[in-house]
Amino acid sequence: MKVGAVIITMGNRPDELRALLDSVAKQDGDPVEVVVVGNGSPVPDVPEGVRTIELPENLGIPGGRNVGIEAFGPSGRDVDVLLFLDDDGLLASHDTAELCRKAFEADPKLGIISFRIADPDTGVTQRRHVPRLRAADPMRSSRVTTFLGGANAVRTRVFADVGGLPDAFFYAHEETDLAWRALDAGWMIDYRSDMVLYHPTTAPSRHAVYHRMVARNRVWLARRNLPAALVPVYLGVWLLLTLVRRPSRRALRAWFGGFREGWTTSCGPRRPMKWRTVWRLTRLGRPPVI
């Protein structure tokens, strides 16, 4: 299987990017072809053989990654598998690409693999980085219903089947949108604890747009993908969870502004998932109301 990698960067972490590229170059088996996308910024110096694309403006995370996908041909068809890696991450082992090849070869219906993210100093995996409700044991691999955007591998046939990431999301929930569409098309998603990306422990709220984007995109996600009967249930549950978590007044204002924006702006094409997909998500432990 031919493996490629897409890395987007704002150009502000040259040392971390170089370390990541070195870890990709050290992967066992055939070399991994890498494309680095400068998302509205110049790309720092990279090793010879690494392709670069510099975008004139920041297209957001999904937009930048979609440009990287198309760099491997329409829907990434020039390779069989694409790795998506945060530019301040680091592949912990030399066998990650080879493990991906073996996993996809062994399971023809496997479409996406979510890696385990661990802090490079402590080895701790944050609970939010385990893409399932029962997240207490990050060392347990399992089937899941979503994946981590900056530490994953996708079979490129998934993009050919269901399309790429939703550009308009810009930041937050774009992975779940793709995951739901992939599951609806019959693909499966695995969380693999033995495929590790080292990444410093951070809080998602460090991004200034976090609360607005999370709320807006949550509404878009539901409007685009859920059967009509589940849309108010899903969004009602998330509204209650947000209030229970007692964010600051400023954060809550931003969240409600994004929630309102999600209803008053276009979410893109609506393709509600089949009810059998709802049942499949439920059997996998995460019904699409949570």
Side-chain angles (χ1 to χ4, degrees), residues 188-211:
M188 300 302 292
I189 306 170
D190 279 356
Y191 166 72
R192 288 283 298 265
S193 64
D194 57 335
M195 302 181 189
V196 180
L197 183 85
Y198 285 143
H199 188 281
T201 297
T202 56
S205 54
R206 71 190 184 280
H207 299 291
V209 297
Y210 172 77
H211 296 287

Side-chain angles (χ1 to χ4, degrees), residues 139-156:
M139 301 308 294
R140 178 173 66 87
S141 299
S142 68
R143 293 279 201 208
V144 290
T145 62
T146 188
F147 63 99
L148 306 171
N152 67 81
V154 181
R155 192 192 296 266
T156 53

Side-chain angles (χ1 to χ4, degrees), residues 8-10 37-41 53 55 57-61 63-65:
I8 59 173
T9 183
M10 299 293 291
V37 178
N39 213 355
S41 67
I53 300 171
L55 302 178
E57 61 178 309
N58 183 356
L59 299 182
I61 293 172
R65 285 181 178 146

Side-chain angles (χ1 to χ4, degrees), residues 206-229:
R206 71 190 184 280
H207 299 291
V209 297
Y210 172 77
H211 296 287
R212 181 175 71 86
M213 293 291 191
V214 162
R216 184 198 68 179
N217 292 358
R218 183 80 70 184
V219 177
W220 281 357
L221 179 69
R223 290 175 59 199
R224 284 164 58 92
N225 295 288
L226 290 182

Side-chain angles (χ1 to χ4, degrees), residues 81-101:
V81 174
L82 278 175
L83 310 179
F84 295 88
L85 307 170
D86 276 352
D87 68 342
D88 56 344
L90 184 75
L91 289 174
S93 302
H94 295 179
D95 63 351
T96 303
E98 197 64 20
L99 288 173
C100 286
R101 291 186 185 98

